[in-house]
Amino acid sequence: MTDVLKQLFIGGAWVDAADGATMPVDDPATGEIIAHVADAGPKDARLAEDAAVEAQEEWARTAPRARSEILRRAHEIILARTDELALLMTTEMGKPLAEARGEVAYAAEFFRWFSEEAVRIEGGYGTLPDGRNRMLLTRRPVGPSLLITPWNFPLAMGTRKIGPAIAAGCTMILKPAPQTPLSSLALAGILKEAGLPDGVLNVVTTSRAGEVCEPLLRGGRIRKLSFTGSTAVGRLLLAQCADTVVRTSMELGGNAPFVVFDDADLDKAVDGAMVAKMRNMGEACTAANRFFVHRSVAEEFGRRLAARMGALVVGPGTRDGVDVGPLIDDAGRAKVEELVADAVERGARVLVGGTAPEGPGRFYPPTVLADVVPGSRLMDTEIFGPVAAILTFDDEDEVVRRANDTPWGLVGYLFTEGLDRALRVSERLEVGMVGLNTGLVSNPAAPFGGIKQSGLGREGGRVGIEEFLEYQYLAMPVG
Ligand code: NAP
């Protein structure tokens, strides 16, 4: 790929890494190297930090309408380049083109949403209870922010953080995942074109995440970390943020239960399962990880799901008619293979799939496992692949207890036609989001995020911008 952006984006300029290092980016469908991008080290990170810190004061003073218009223009440019961006994303990440186009629209929508929020940052004025003192409440940007994103939604995870940071008036450094730097660099190019001032967004691509990020978090000048990734890395970063009390937003891993009650509409449940499991080849934090199906409908549900999963076409995401692309890398595929082997060894039945094809490419077939035994490793590990693991249950209390028996709490899916049961069980599930008779919860207008070890804070919705704003209160005695 010759026409893609491959350098670091610092202070509004495209530059090589200070030591000239580069890193390869490959196509997971073939294993072929498609580009070499700049591989930043700590010196580059410091330059990016200097640029973000220097730009902060003026950016905070920029009119909200001006910030809003930049986001709006970027939203339009992204949509106008849907095909180009989708192809780039598919080539570096693997998802089928149709899904990549869907992600482009989803990603762009965060910019439109936050362009609307930028001009609705409200303060307040009030009389305090003593009747004499007044309170003037204003909002201000938290300050230079470090944004760290994963590879599974290369464009949307960026816009979900950059959108509210721009709207709030924060400058930032974005560190994308090394598997998918090209989409983030393309995004930086679009924001520059949309008129974003130099230094507001800086992008450092690197294969040395720890070396680049730790000094930033410990240095005292970065005031905010917004991280999306695994719980293990999130935990480590929280510890690094503690010393200088950096404010954090953490979107971490999940272990979503997908519960099908005996009064569910099975057509809806199977449709929902296909989305909750197969979106992004199962490489999503929201992916249904544990299917709890009432014993009386488990056989029928498994049969129908296996028929649908078995009919999907696996292949390179750029090829017409392909439904399921490759997994991100060899380690990701090996993990799925190990989890399936462990479940089968413990007694699970393979209804469809279950064996990885020969290379090239990191393909894994859509797989349905029935009679999965509690205690199997895939019950307490994110599968991050196209594998549906079905367990049975007998009553409501039991399934709520088992669904909640995990340190994670991102999302849960419920399928029932009973309104009472839907509300009762939703309230008892320890999750930040519930899909009721649907397999999709992600929407830029809704607060996305989890509880327990799935994270802190929310992205999107009315509260998304709050993550990048502070309060200041002015006390005034009157009269
Ligand atoms: P990951 O290994 O935690 O990596 C996420 C990002 O953190 C990458 O950019 C990674 O770069 C970086 N990173 C790793 N170690 C670091 C360190 N010591 N200092 C600074 N940065 C560091 O996760 P992943 O495998 O890319 O993504 C999958 C995970 O993300 C899953 O657990 C998934 O559930 C979660 N996720 C959550 C959400 C959500 O909204 N809750 C959304 C999407 C994904 P390197 O790869 O170079 O280490």
Side-chain angles (χ1 to χ4, degrees), residues 146 148-153 157 160 175-179 206-214 217 227-234 236-237 240 250-254 283-286 382 384 408 410 433 448-450 454 459:
L146 175 61
I148 302 180
T149 53
W151 47 264
N152 58 348
F153 292 95
M157 295 302 97
R160 199 163 81 169
K175 192 217 78 67
Q179 296 92 334
T206 182
S207 64
R208 297 169 273 175
E211 273 176 64
V212 161
C213 296
E214 188 168 357
L217 294 174
F227 172 75
T228 298
S230 61
T231 298
V233 173
L236 180 88
L237 296 177
Q240 292 177 8
M250 309 301 263
E251 295 289 349
L252 308 177
E283 293 174 317
C285 54
T286 50
E382 281 186 289
F384 248 58
W408 289 283
L410 188 62
M433 303 176 286
F448 187 102
S454 286
E459 289 189 323

Side-chain angles (χ1 to χ4, degrees), residues 7-40:
Q7 290 172 295
L8 309 177
F9 185 60
I10 297 179
W14 295 98
V15 294
D16 290 329
D19 61 4
T22 61
M23 60 181 188
V25 181
D26 73 14
D27 175 349
T30 60
E32 280 166 23
I33 291 173
I34 50 171
H36 284 88
V37 302
D39 188 359

Side-chain angles (χ1 to χ4, degrees), residues 50 98 111 117 230 232 242 266 281 328 343-344 403 426:
D50 290 345
F111 279 1
E117 292 299 288
S230 61
L266 278 198
M281 289 86 73
I328 190 69
V344 170
S426 300

